[in-house]
Amino acid sequence: MTLLSIHPLSSNYHQQASELAQLLGLPLNKEAAFALQLGDMGLQLQELADKAPGPVRVDFVEGALAHRRQFGGGTGQMIAKAVGVQAGVRPSILDATAGLGRDAFVLACLECNVVMIERQPVIAKLLEDGLARALANLDTQIIAQRMRLLQGDAINLMQSWQLETPQVVHLDPMFPHREKSALVKKEMRLFRPLVGDDLDAPKLLSTALALASHRVVVKRPRKAPCIEGPKPSYSLEGKSSRYDVYTLKTLKS
């Protein structure tokens, strides 16, 4: 059985699904473990096994991110403190491991300009789809305009960086699987077969440190070891996760 197939949810989307299958080099309407489904709600990833959880899609307009946009705690959030958001300071940020774009969206809500990199093409397409819908919605349009997506390998892109140098690079590498870890969430259940572990995390960190002008921030499970390499300047610890902060220069207004 193939790992992933493109499935239109109605005949209205057959042409789009066919073009997407060709673009991603994936089969169309084949039996598979996972389906990238295209329909009225946009693009979504669905596991096809019995008793599988519901689909995963990127939605900046409604749901959990809409609630966080309205009631998320503003500059008091741990991620805001980690990247250096403060009075008169809204650093430019490169989110080099964008995933579903949640952290990038939170930072864009705080008026930071964020460039996102996602190397897995299917996840990048989910993110592109969610970003397009956010740009078309009046409630999220201005926020989405602060977000830019690049698809490719973060290490290669950072080593040959052509855009304005980011003040902060944010990293959230996939953590190696452990039983009873937080990675049993449905997103991780779907993504791990596609993405695997970020075994190049030390190289990712060293490349980020060479690019960022002011700091690098690494999100980790709370009890996980630091990424191999230089020790962080300090860490901010929450209930389930922490941020290791590598300071290079002081952020000033």
Side-chain angles (χ1 to χ4, degrees):
M1 183 190 296
T2 188
L3 178 64
L4 179 64
S5 177
I6 308 292
H7 289 209
L9 292 177
S10 76
S11 58
N12 294 336
Y13 294 94
H14 182 81
Q15 182 60 35
Q16 280 181 264
S18 179
E19 292 170 359
L20 184 60
Q22 187 172 9
L23 179 67
L24 294 175
L26 291 171
L28 182 67
N29 284 326
K30 296 292 185 182
E31 185 178 356
F34 300 91
L36 189 59
Q37 300 171 331
L38 189 63
D40 292 342
M41 298 291 286
L43 201 61
Q44 60 187 35
L45 187 62
Q46 174 67 63
E47 185 179 0
L48 299 177
D50 290 340
K51 298 182 180 179
V56 168
R57 57 199 291 269
V58 174
D59 191 351
F60 299 126
V61 179
E62 299 178 350
L65 283 177
H67 185 272
R68 190 165 180 180
R69 169 168 53 86
Q70 297 173 68
F71 309 108
T75 58
Q77 298 173 86
M78 193 163 62
I79 189 172
K81 295 176 181 178
V83 302
V85 170
Q86 53 193 290
V89 177
R90 294 297 185 271
S92 60
I93 296 167
L94 169 60
D95 185 348
T97 53
L100 292 174
R102 290 171 179 159
D103 290 329
F105 184 75
V106 169
L107 293 169
C109 286
L110 297 173
E111 302 182 1
C112 296
N113 290 315
V114 187
V115 176
M116 303 175 287
I117 298 175
E118 176 51 50
R119 67 178 173 184
Q120 214 295 328
V122 170
I123 298 175
K125 278 296 175 187
L126 290 170
L127 191 49
E128 182 183 282
D129 175 70
L131 197 55
R133 283 183 277 107
L135 285 166
N137 185 280
L138 291 178
D139 291 335
T140 53
Q141 190 176 69
I142 293 175
I143 298 167
Q145 286 171 352
R146 301 187 190 110
M147 302 167 69
R148 176 176 177 178
L149 173 63
L150 304 177
Q151 197 272 308
D153 180 81
I155 292 172
N156 292 339
L157 287 171
M158 285 193 288
Q159 287 176 335
S160 58
W161 195 250
Q162 300 294 317
L163 303 178
E164 182 179 350
T165 300
Q167 292 175 294
V168 179
V169 177
H170 175 267
L171 305 175
D172 183 10
M174 185 77 79
F175 191 62
H177 178 67
R178 291 185 303 163
E179 294 299 325
K180 300 181 181 179
S181 74
L183 297 180
V184 296
K185 293 190 298 184
K186 70 176 181 180
E187 288 92 343
M188 294 302 102
R189 179 170 165 174
L190 286 168
F191 288 176
R192 188 168 292 281
L194 300 177
V195 178
D197 296 323
D198 284 325
L199 301 178
D200 56 357
K203 180 66 173 176
L204 192 65
L205 174 59
S206 65
T207 307
L209 287 166
L211 176 62
S213 63
H214 286 71
R215 69 174 63 179
V216 173
V217 174
V218 182
K219 186 177 182 180
R220 302 292 280 162
R222 185 172 65 87
K223 296 183 179 180
C226 296
I227 292 178
E228 181 183 339
K231 298 299 182 185
S233 306
Y234 63 93
S235 297
L236 299 175
E237 194 169 296
K239 291 181 179 179
S240 61
S241 62
R242 74 168 195 275
Y243 289 93
D244 293 338
V245 181
Y246 302 76
T247 55
L248 305 169
K249 191 188 299 183
T250 301
L251 285 161
K252 298 179 180 178
S253 58

